[in-house]
Amino acid sequence: MKILDIKERAVPISSNISNAFIDFSKMNASIVAVETDVVRNGKPVVGYGFNSNGRYAPSGLLRERFIPRLLEASSEEVVNDAGTNLSPEKIHQVLMKNEKPGGHGERTVAVGTLDMAVWDAVAKIEDVPLYKLLADQYGDGTIDEKVFVYAAGGYYHPNKGLTELQEEMKSYLDMGYSKVKMKVGGVPLEEDLKRIEAVIDVVGTGQNLMVDVNGRFNLEEAIQFGEAIKDYDLFWYEEVGDPLDYHLQAELSKVYPNAIATGENLFSVQDATNLIRYAGMNPKTDFLQFDCALSYGLVEYMKILKMLEENGWSSRNCIPHGGHQMSLNIAAGLKLFGNESYPGVFQPFGGFADGHAVDNGYVSLPDAPGIGFEAKEDLYQLLKTL
């Protein structure tokens, strides 16, 4: 058993939307295909992966460093001890060989992209959905038959007023979502409050709305905004300051009385550990958004889950960033709270399997082997061009 070839290409996911920090006019993502010598159901097994939105395609790192490193590895370095499948853990060690600790940078995205493709291949070789493999080999043997998902949108757009914002959010409710998320922090406070109130008018209650600052605020702004929104009783107040500013997070947690969410831009178990140690997060109310596709992959993510358990946190506090099928499989197989969803943007990566509509805020998973990309036709058509 061996890896025959690995292919990569950068594809655009650009648009004229923006959040409080960046616009997406030049955004792209890497897609990869890991080709193996294994045949299942009459077809060679190919594992597919991609990086989540918000981080650009790590094509250079993949092509110059990580793909050659993996292709140069011996079979013993990439196959499990029984010789029956690829070993994601061994492959992770291969990818990180000669990599110094710390200063994680964009290499986390490159490794996470390959890791996704490896797990897709591993589950296909076992001929089971990834969520079942995770539950059987790493979980308690049972799965969540359906997973909570929320609709992430509400981006700033040159032609989007309050009416257009409300229409967008109503469209998500019509799709079956029960909770939605919108961007804040990119306009004056008074204007954002009007936007929040307009959305609450549509979704019915603050508990059906999350707001996301994308790390824009300093401490004074974070507390001021939190004071202004606390009575809305929002589902959460997200990524308020710089992801590594644990002092800001800790000070905000002292005064903001409702749920806070963060973590999507923390890309290692050490950074996640520091968040839990120093940021004053509340394991009874707060949410963690680490995204395996951006943070060295599922091998690293499971180390984060273990660290959380050791520090009194539950996997049910986790709702990954990214809105993709990989995190959906993890949510079902390892018992997370749920998963993000992008029904309106970042296509064809956003959304889930065809024929699995969201119903009252929950979605079911296909029984296709692997991550299930083949059950999402527009995405599969793109991936199989590699």
Side-chain angles (χ1 to χ4, degrees):
M1 180 179 297
K2 60 183 178 180
I3 294 172
L4 299 177
D5 196 13
I6 302 173
K7 298 176 181 177
E8 183 273 345
R9 188 170 82 249
V11 297
I13 51 171
S14 57
S15 65
N16 57 356
I17 61 174
S18 63
N19 60 36
F21 219 106
I22 65 169
D23 67 65
F24 292 82
S25 59
K26 303 293 184 181
M27 189 59 60
N28 61 2
S30 280
I31 57 174
V32 298
V34 173
E35 302 176 9
T36 76
D37 65 347
V38 180
V39 176
R40 288 288 183 270
N41 302 312
K43 297 180 180 180
V45 170
V46 179
Y48 296 107
F50 54 84
N51 65 274
S52 298
N53 65 80
R55 295 282 163 171
Y56 297 96
S59 298
L61 288 169
L62 284 164
R63 294 184 182 187
E64 297 169 13
R65 194 152 96 225
F66 292 106
I67 289 175
R69 191 177 291 167
L70 185 51
L71 289 175
E72 291 164 5
S74 66
S75 293
E76 290 75 16
E77 291 179 294
V78 301
V79 174
N80 64 22
D81 291 342
T84 58
N85 208 325
L86 299 174
S87 167
E89 293 81 7
K90 285 186 176 182
I91 289 173
H92 181 83
Q93 292 178 349
V94 168
L95 293 172
M96 295 305 294
K97 186 177 181 180
N98 287 332
E99 295 287 330
K100 292 179 69 175
H104 302 283
E106 298 299 303
R107 73 180 182 193
T108 68
V109 183
V111 175
T113 301
L114 285 172
D115 174 273
M116 185 188 295
V118 167
W119 282 100
D120 188 37
V122 166
K124 286 174 177 173
I125 291 170
E126 295 291 334
D127 201 23
V128 297
L130 177 59
Y131 58 83
K132 177 171 173 51
L133 182 145
L134 293 176
D136 290 346
Q137 297 188 17
Y138 300 90
D140 64 5
T142 65
I143 64 169
D144 287 345
E145 297 289 345
K146 58 182 182 178
V147 175
F148 166 73
V149 289
Y150 69 89
Y155 288 84
Y156 297 105
H157 186 283
N159 300 313
K160 183 187 287 186
L162 295 181
T163 299
E164 290 77 16
L165 178 62
Q166 288 180 314
E167 289 173 349
E168 176 192 357
M169 296 304 177
K170 185 179 184 302
S171 74
Y172 299 149
L173 299 183
D174 292 341
M175 293 177 193
Y177 293 92
S178 60
K179 299 185 188 299
V180 301
K181 186 169 78 177
M182 64 182 287
K183 302 300 183 179
V184 296
V187 295
L189 173 60
E190 295 75 14
E191 186 175 343
D192 262 340
L193 294 180
K194 292 178 182 178
R195 295 174 66 248
I196 291 171
E197 290 170 358
V199 173
I200 291 176
D201 284 344
V202 171
V203 300
T205 171
Q207 275 294 296
N208 290 331
L209 175 63
M210 303 94 154
V211 296
D212 183 2
V213 189
N214 290 106
R216 180 77 183 193
F217 290 158
N218 61 31
L219 178 57
E220 181 181 355
E221 293 166 334
I223 292 175
Q224 180 186 24
F225 197 94
E227 178 66 24
I229 66 171
K230 66 179 183 181
D231 291 338
Y232 294 133
D233 191 27
L234 302 177
F235 192 79
W236 73 47
Y237 181 23
E238 178 179 337
E239 201 172 37
V240 183
D242 186 283
L244 294 173
D245 192 343
Y246 305 127
H247 173 72
L248 181 152
Q249 191 69 59
E251 292 301 306
L252 176 65
S253 294
K254 292 177 183 177
V255 297
Y256 184 70
N258 305 319
I260 293 172
T262 194
E264 72 177 67
N265 287 302
L266 298 178
F267 299 150
S268 71
V269 66
Q270 187 59 61
D271 286 340
T273 301
N274 286 339
L275 178 75
I276 299 306
R277 284 175 176 168
Y278 304 122
M281 303 286 287
N282 188 336
K284 295 182 179 179
T285 60
D286 292 342
F287 294 94
L288 304 170
Q289 301 169 300
F290 313 115
D291 180 346
C292 73
L294 299 180
S295 53
Y296 292 119
L298 179 53
V299 173
E300 185 88 353
Y301 191 85
M302 286 195 283
K303 294 177 184 177
I304 292 174
L305 290 179
K306 183 175 185 295
M307 176 276 296
L308 292 175
E309 182 181 9
E310 291 170 350
N311 284 275
W313 288 73
S314 167
S315 61
R316 296 296 191 185
N317 290 90
C318 296
I319 304 184
H321 164 269
H324 45 69
Q325 292 162 288
M326 177 68 172
S327 288
L328 191 68
N329 275 269
I330 298 169
L334 298 181
K335 307 294 183 67
L336 310 186
F337 188 98
N339 191 35
E340 188 172 28
S341 176
Y342 290 101
V345 290
F346 308 126
Q347 297 302 320
F349 302 102
F352 308 119
D354 299 337
H356 290 257
V358 177
D359 181 17
N360 195 30
Y362 288 81
V363 68
S364 59
L365 287 80
D367 58 4
I371 294 173
F373 297 135
E374 290 79 1
K376 190 177 190 302
E377 185 64 23
D378 56 351
L379 177 56
Y380 180 54
Q381 289 300 321
L382 173 63
L383 294 173
K384 74 177 186 176
T385 61
L386 285 166

